[in-house]
Amino acid sequence: MRPSFHPRLINGPFDDPGLFVSFLFENRAILFDLGDIYTLSARDILKVTHVFISHTHMDHFAGFDRLLRLFLGRDKNLYLFGPEGFLRNVEGKLAGYEWNLVKNFYYRFTLFATEVRHDCLLTNQYLCQNRFLPAGDSEKMNFTGILHAEPAFSISAMVLDHSIPCLGFTIKERFHVNIKKDRVSGLGLEIGPWLGQFKQALFNGQDPESEFEVKFGKDESGKKRYILGDLAKQIALITPGQKITYISDVIYHKSNVEKIVSFAKGADHLFIEAGFLEQDRDIAQKKFHLTAWQAGRIAKKARVKQFTLFHFSPRYMGQDHLLQKEARDAFDGYE
Ligand SMILES: [Zn+2]
Ligand SMILES: [Zn+2]
């Protein structure tokens, strides 16, 4: 089975946190956190449609300028989400530059920013040609946990405590469509972008009796027509959807732990910060971070299938194996 979402940490575990999640068969990605993103190619960054920022400490938000620099003058919309105070932070960043020449830009690049509060979402938009000034008063909506939803997946947030409000994120696929490659080639077809359209048709609940056209080959010159339901029976197997949870910068206390455990429940992959070793638990507590043992315990309680640690304190440089082992022991240990 090939998963739909391919997550990879942007940097090594001692560098700025952040997760780049690319989508199978689509020229598209999302980002969790926006620290140093110089290890990502411009090509990869330009695939990003949505950016979810846990909080605006510099190591999670300093990549804003590079992102903006690359998107400037392009025909794109970019959607950013962040915690309480986020609109002020975004506007502060945008106010840091002169924008006198952008009115001549041909393309209408627009930034949409949403501030996630406990009970509501505040959204505003910033059009490049309008010197990135707010379009008006921010729009208020109820916050139900979901930040963004499409037929195939949704992205939700949980407000956590890091001495300031800090967001955890989950991307959850509604169901997973496994493509049987041998059957695809058995029909004389090739793997290609049409598979994305095929999956989209299933997620959209398109009538199984309706016609589906497959375009394939060089310049999509090959065309074959199928009944959608028949094609699905032949080449697809439906299984539960993929779930990825990202938790960065949280203190270990009862309410945070309970929230994270329920939020990450059964995740295929949990990405979780682990700043310190358990022997330095007091320092972790003072800095509102987790220890590796605590991260491993949370992963265990949430019954995740796999977890990855990041955001190690530089004091452990060269000792990352100790952090890994500590979390692994907590994960494998008894209840
Ligand atoms: Zn941090
Ligand atoms: Zn922080």
Side-chain angles (χ1 to χ4, degrees):
M1 154 181 158
R2 276 180 89 184
S4 299
F5 310 126
H6 291 251
R8 70 173 203 262
L9 285 172
I10 297 167
N11 299 302
F14 288 98
D15 297 316
D16 282 3
L19 193 68
F20 179 80
V21 184
S22 56
F23 291 23
L24 184 68
F25 300 132
E26 284 181 74
N27 198 25
R28 181 178 178 193
I30 59 167
L31 277 178
F32 291 140
D33 270 339
L34 189 55
D36 183 345
I37 53 170
Y38 273 89
T39 55
L40 289 178
S41 66
R43 194 162 164 259
D44 273 346
I45 293 174
L46 286 168
K47 289 178 188 168
V48 172
T49 56
H50 295 72
V51 186
F52 302 87
I53 293 140
S54 62
H55 62 301
T56 50
H57 282 158
M58 263 194 106
D59 52 333
H60 300 255
F61 196 45
F64 178 88
D65 283 19
R66 171 149 169 82
L67 187 76
L68 185 63
R69 181 79 186 83
L70 285 169
F71 274 80
L72 205 57
R74 291 180 194 267
D75 186 18
K76 282 180 183 282
N77 291 334
L78 187 62
Y79 297 84
L80 305 180
F81 298 80
E84 195 167 336
F86 188 60
L87 294 185
R88 180 173 48 82
N89 293 144
V90 168
E91 286 166 18
K93 284 269 196 188
L94 293 168
Y97 297 98
E98 284 298 341
W99 299 111
N100 62 310
L101 298 177
V102 291
K103 62 179 183 296
N104 304 322
F105 282 12
Y106 181 72
Y107 289 121
R108 296 172 60 84
F109 168 58
T110 308
L111 208 62
F112 293 80
T114 298
E115 175 168 325
V116 183
R117 301 214 176 155
H118 282 277
D119 58 346
C120 70
L121 301 173
L122 297 174
T123 300
N124 216 326
Q125 39 179 301
Y126 308 85
L127 173 66
C128 171
Q129 275 95 335
N130 193 29
R131 292 179 286 132
F132 290 109
L133 293 170
D137 291 337
S138 50
E139 198 183 313
K140 189 172 177 179
M141 280 170 58
N142 280 341
F143 175 47
T144 57
I146 303 288
L147 296 185
H148 176 73
E150 296 185 20
F153 69 92
S154 62
I155 295 167
S156 53
M158 172 72 84
V159 181
L160 301 165
D161 177 20
H162 174 47
S163 78
I164 50 172
C166 179
L167 304 175
F169 302 110
T170 284
I171 179 166
K172 174 84 175 81
E173 194 181 21
R174 255 180 64 211
F175 51 83
H176 187 71
V177 183
N178 302 273
I179 302 294
K180 300 173 186 166
K181 275 199 211 152
D182 50 336
R183 298 283 185 85
V184 172
S185 47
L187 290 173
L189 301 173
E190 294 161 16
I191 301 292
W194 68 270
L195 282 167
Q197 293 147 21
F198 167 70
K199 288 182 175 183
Q200 208 57 47
L202 298 183
F203 284 121
N204 288 339
Q206 195 174 311
D207 181 1
E209 298 298 323
S210 64
E211 199 174 81
F212 183 81
E213 188 177 66
V214 176
K215 293 181 188 158
F216 60 99
K218 204 161 184 261
D219 305 325
E220 299 193 328
S221 53
K223 285 194 180 77
K224 283 192 182 180
R225 293 212 167 107
Y226 294 91
I227 300 298
L228 180 66
D230 288 348
L231 183 62
K233 268 189 205 137
Q234 292 188 69
I235 67 164
L237 176 71
I238 308 294
T239 53
Q242 191 185 358
K243 175 175 176 178
I244 298 166
T245 296
Y246 176 88
I247 302 292
S248 193
D249 293 24
V250 286
I251 188 171
Y252 193 81
H253 62 40
K254 194 164 180 281
S255 136
N256 257 2
V257 171
E258 283 173 3
K259 281 185 186 174
I260 300 166
V261 166
S262 76
F263 189 61
K265 201 89 200 165
D268 294 285
H269 203 150
L270 168 67
F271 289 85
I272 186 162
E273 69 118 325
F276 297 87
L277 282 173
E278 189 60 16
Q279 68 192 32
D280 297 320
R281 179 190 269 249
D282 292 350
I283 304 170
Q285 197 81 5
K286 273 195 201 111
K287 294 183 181 259
F288 297 87
H289 275 284
L290 297 178
T291 68
W293 183 87
Q294 291 165 343
R297 285 299 296 169
I298 289 172
K300 163 109 177 170
K301 283 188 184 168
R303 305 252 180 273
V304 304
K305 296 193 181 78
Q306 185 187 355
F307 70 94
T308 299
L309 305 179
F310 60 96
H311 213 344
F312 298 163
S313 161
R315 72 181 58 217
Y316 308 114
M317 199 65 85
Q319 295 180 292
D320 33 329
H321 59 285
L322 296 180
L323 290 140
Q324 301 288 6
K325 182 177 184 313
E326 190 173 282
R328 179 57 50 193
D329 287 348
F331 187 74
D332 292 338
Y334 292 111
E335 286 298 310

